[in-house]
Amino acid sequence: MTDIRPCKVCNFSRQKSYGLVVPSLEELKTRGSQFFGHPSDQVTVVLEDDGTIVEDQSYFLCLPPNTKFMLLHEKESWSPVRKMDGGTAWMARESMILENDAVDALGPVAPWWDLAQQLKQDLASVILMSEADLQTLVDAPCPELASALGFQEKKAVDLQETLQRVLDRREEERQSKELLQLYLKAVEKEDKQQEEPSQPSQGGAGDVDMPDGMEVDSASGFMSRTLMVLKGKTSPETRLSTEDLQMVVSRGVEAMRQVLGWDTSRTSDLLKACEAELAKRLQQVQAVQSVRSSTQLDSSRQDGEKSAEGE
């Protein structure tokens, strides 16, 4: 027999609360949604006391009997209980309702608004956000984002810059992983060819399975991911490999203008940024080589001095 569990459900303002006995999380969503008049597929279940999202049936079954859940519908969000004296708790609930009504009255909510509210409640929630969510926050108007978070505009600018660095780092990690996968596949293919020298080689380098985004666009000669970065990312020159940067610069303004479909001015700015990034990376390589040469020279001198002392 299926184990049934007593529990409680309330709406986001905690004005309504019901007791249920249900065998599963899905049944809790279905019956709870009926109490509050919401479609069950538009409802999120969270723990009433701390706002933890409950989506896993196994986790639901591990919770103690009479656990209280909150059902959130669409733009509603969890907030802690506001304890007030003198019978003024209803004022907090009314304030929450009026706040949501005011948002509805302004028309469609911007995509970054809900994300900003999540950050306002818990800044650590940024760790769980997808790259699309992070990019949405980076692209949000800074003054409006600062207002939504309750920050000064300078702090909102710093937050967006930090989120952009997180995106850049994830992009670099993804490219490194894809290049490693491509290298391992190439090595595996070469090993198979050496093990079977008597069999004629079938196909060429183009037969190597490419990771997603590594396919080469026949019209432009660029990988599809490179084109995506050039067209859709902020400061694309910082996200490209040195080889891609050299390829972009060597093509020239006119050729890249046709590839990207941009005007001459915008394309020229991109090439200047790519040239500057290449120069910076070259300086870094030269600095490393200089340090290495200096270290090797010092080591040779020390070895020579030790040999002279030994004689």
Side-chain angles (χ1 to χ4, degrees):
M1 179 176 179
T2 304
D3 184 24
I4 56 176
R5 307 177 62 80
C7 57
K8 302 174 184 178
V9 293
C10 66
N11 61 350
F12 85 104
S13 64
R14 297 182 174 85
Q15 288 181 300
K16 296 180 180 180
S17 183
Y18 298 92
L20 299 173
V21 178
V22 294
S24 66
L25 177 61
E26 191 61 34
E27 184 70 13
L28 171 67
K29 291 179 64 176
T30 301
R31 294 181 57 189
S33 299
Q34 292 175 353
F35 285 130
F36 301 121
H38 302 315
S40 61
D41 59 348
Q42 299 178 8
V43 166
T44 301
V45 180
V46 302
L47 296 181
E48 184 274 340
D49 58 352
D50 64 3
T52 299
I53 298 176
V54 182
E55 294 182 338
D56 184 70
Q57 171 68 10
S58 300
Y59 178 71
F60 171 76
L61 295 176
C62 292
L63 295 172
N66 290 312
T67 296
K68 191 170 185 179
F69 299 91
M70 179 182 291
L71 300 188
L72 301 176
H73 177 246
E74 293 186 339
K75 292 177 292 184
E76 296 173 351
S77 60
W78 178 87
S79 60
V81 177
R82 299 185 183 183
K83 295 182 180 180
M84 299 183 180
D85 296 329
T88 58
W90 64 272
M91 296 176 64
R93 294 194 293 267
E94 292 295 329
S95 175
M96 292 168 62
I97 295 172
L98 289 173
E99 180 179 346
N100 280 272
D101 289 343
V103 171
D104 292 338
L106 293 175
V109 178
W112 54 267
W113 177 264
D114 290 337
L115 300 174
Q117 296 308 303
Q118 292 181 30
L119 287 181
K120 187 175 182 179
Q121 292 179 10
D122 182 11
L123 198 59
S125 64
V126 70
I127 300 173
L128 303 178
M129 289 185 179
S130 66
E131 291 185 14
D133 290 341
L134 294 177
Q135 189 65 55
T136 299
L137 288 170
V138 169
D139 295 337
C142 189
E144 297 178 21
L145 180 63
S147 176
L149 292 172
F151 289 174
Q152 294 182 354
E153 190 168 338
K154 175 63 169 63
K155 188 174 181 180
V157 171
D158 293 340
L159 173 64
Q160 288 183 314
E161 291 178 350
T162 301
L163 296 180
Q164 183 63 64
R165 286 195 292 271
V166 172
L167 280 172
D168 292 343
R169 184 170 65 252
R170 291 186 183 181
E171 182 70 23
E172 291 173 358
E173 291 172 353
R174 182 189 298 107
Q175 289 185 3
S176 299
K177 182 179 178 180
E178 289 174 349
L179 289 173
L180 178 60
Q181 290 174 342
L182 183 60
Y183 170 75
L184 293 176
K185 287 181 180 294
V187 170
E188 182 181 357
K189 182 178 179 65
E190 183 178 352
D191 290 343
K192 289 181 179 179
Q193 290 175 344
Q194 291 177 353
E195 291 173 0
E196 303 173 1
S198 59
Q199 297 182 3
S201 176
Q202 298 292 330
D207 292 333
V208 179
D209 292 335
M210 295 289 188
D212 291 341
M214 300 293 287
E215 299 87 354
V216 176
D217 179 68
S218 58
S220 64
F222 287 98
M223 288 186 294
S224 57
R225 180 170 294 282
T226 301
L227 291 175
M228 181 189 70
V229 171
L230 286 171
K231 293 181 179 180
K233 298 295 184 180
T234 306
S235 300
E237 68 278 359
T238 63
R239 303 175 180 228
L240 297 178
S241 66
T242 301
E243 182 181 355
D244 287 336
L245 286 173
Q246 291 173 338
M247 188 173 179
V248 170
V249 172
S250 64
R251 289 292 185 88
V253 174
E254 184 59 28
M256 290 305 301
R257 185 183 67 81
Q258 295 178 2
V259 169
L260 299 174
W262 293 354
D263 58 39
T264 302
S265 176
R266 185 179 179 186
T267 307
S268 178
D269 290 342
L270 171 65
L271 263 67
K272 290 178 181 177
C274 290
E275 290 174 352
E277 180 68 19
L278 267 176
K280 183 176 73 173
R281 295 185 188 182
L282 179 59
Q283 290 176 353
Q284 292 172 346
V285 171
Q286 291 174 341
V288 171
Q289 291 176 341
S290 176
V291 171
R292 184 179 301 169
S293 299
S294 177
T295 303
Q296 291 175 346
L297 181 59
D298 290 341
S299 178
S300 298
R301 288 177 178 174
Q302 291 175 1
D303 291 341
E305 291 173 359
K306 289 181 180 179
S307 298
E309 290 174 0
E311 294 177 357

